[in-house]
Amino acid sequence: MTTNVYIDGYNLYYGALKGTSYKWLDLSRFCAILLPNHNIRRIRYFTARSAALPHDPDIPTRQDTYLRALRTIPHLQIHFGQFVSHDRAFPQYPLVYQNPSNKPRMVRVWRTEEKGSDVNLATYLLRDGFLGEYDEAVVISNDSDLTEPIKVVVSDLKKPVTVVNPFPKSKMSSNLRRTATRAFLEINPSVLKRAQFPPQLADKNGTFTKPRTWT
């Protein structure tokens, strides 16, 4: 069965990779281990460019190195959304909940949000399905906003969709679980461990290595 895989990069990172030593993840190897009986035609990876932070100025460098590693996978394509940053006022927690009759104290925070990745993923999931690029789709995300496009693929195109939840199984979206043809409730860390790139890789520009802090 010909399969396309659609990966929500930040959902995968925050759900399964952050705080682990498995960030140097070979997505081709990862998909092959996770889906051993599938003929994987294409992997689409959806992400956004990360900005440097005062306490961690090397974030963009590490991301660029990882994207360079992903580009060594012939059947993988990277699609970019964007980050939008702005300041916004929020009621301070927990004072507003301790005494709802009190006027909440407002504090301003700097908020950064990723925009576009869920829309891009939904667009290509539907586009590829309508063009007959796959017999089955696999979506690696726990974003409930993807429920409706998955429903269209399953109900209207009559193609199965498997959803892989990157978060602990207790946090899986119930909407996604009901809509998908089948669901992986969580990712076993042993799969991530087995699916790492070699520490050193090469492309047309030369050799490069895994980020030093990703140990």
Side-chain angles (χ1 to χ4, degrees):
M1 182 173 286
T2 301
T3 302
N4 277 11
V5 182
Y6 302 83
I7 301 176
D8 181 337
Y10 275 87
N11 218 260
L12 176 62
Y13 176 80
Y14 284 106
L17 301 176
K18 185 179 180 182
T20 76
S21 58
Y22 305 137
K23 300 181 188 73
W24 195 231
L25 187 65
D26 179 342
L27 294 179
S28 179
R29 177 71 176 150
F30 171 65
C31 291
I33 296 171
L34 200 64
L35 308 161
N37 299 317
H38 292 245
N39 174 24
I40 298 174
R41 181 182 188 274
R42 188 196 302 273
I43 301 170
R44 294 193 186 274
Y45 179 75
F46 300 87
T47 188
R49 293 282 185 182
S50 297
L53 296 174
H55 65 280
D56 194 355
D58 294 329
I59 290 176
T61 302
R62 294 196 300 271
Q63 185 186 41
D64 285 343
T65 302
Y66 184 59
L67 295 175
R68 186 177 176 185
L70 291 182
R71 290 189 178 102
T72 66
I73 301 173
H75 58 294
L76 183 143
Q77 291 179 282
I78 300 171
H79 304 271
F80 289 101
Q82 60 182 330
F83 277 109
V84 177
S85 297
H86 53 88
D87 69 309
R88 186 173 175 183
F90 287 93
Q92 186 179 26
Y93 177 87
L95 297 181
V96 68
Y97 298 104
Q98 290 176 340
N99 190 346
S101 64
N102 289 343
K103 183 178 179 180
R105 177 186 174 190
M106 303 300 289
V107 294
R108 301 199 71 84
V109 300
W110 188 252
R111 185 171 183 178
T112 300
E113 298 176 285
E114 186 194 6
K115 297 290 187 181
S117 288
D118 54 350
V119 175
N120 291 343
L121 193 158
T123 299
Y124 279 99
L125 175 67
L126 292 169
R127 177 257 186 201
D128 295 346
F130 277 107
L131 292 179
E133 275 206 5
Y134 58 77
D135 300 313
E136 178 174 353
V138 175
V139 174
I140 301 178
S141 179
N142 193 38
D143 188 342
S144 60
D145 288 345
L146 298 173
T147 300
E148 197 63 25
I150 290 172
K151 186 184 297 184
V152 170
V153 173
V154 173
S155 301
D156 295 354
L157 299 184
K158 309 301 181 186
K159 295 176 183 288
V161 177
T162 294
V163 171
V164 179
N165 170 36
F167 288 84
K169 60 184 178 181
S170 61
K171 296 184 178 181
M172 184 173 188
S173 164
S174 57
N175 287 336
L176 286 179
R177 187 173 180 178
R178 285 194 301 267
T179 303
T181 309
R182 66 170 178 154
F184 285 48
L185 301 185
E186 61 184 351
I187 298 171
N188 192 313
S190 66
V191 174
L192 302 174
K193 182 177 181 179
R194 292 165 57 199
Q196 297 295 296
F197 280 118
Q200 186 175 83
L201 293 170
D203 59 14
K204 64 181 180 180
N205 295 315
T207 60
F208 59 100
T209 59
K210 174 182 176 179
R212 180 178 51 84
T213 59
W214 284 6
T215 56

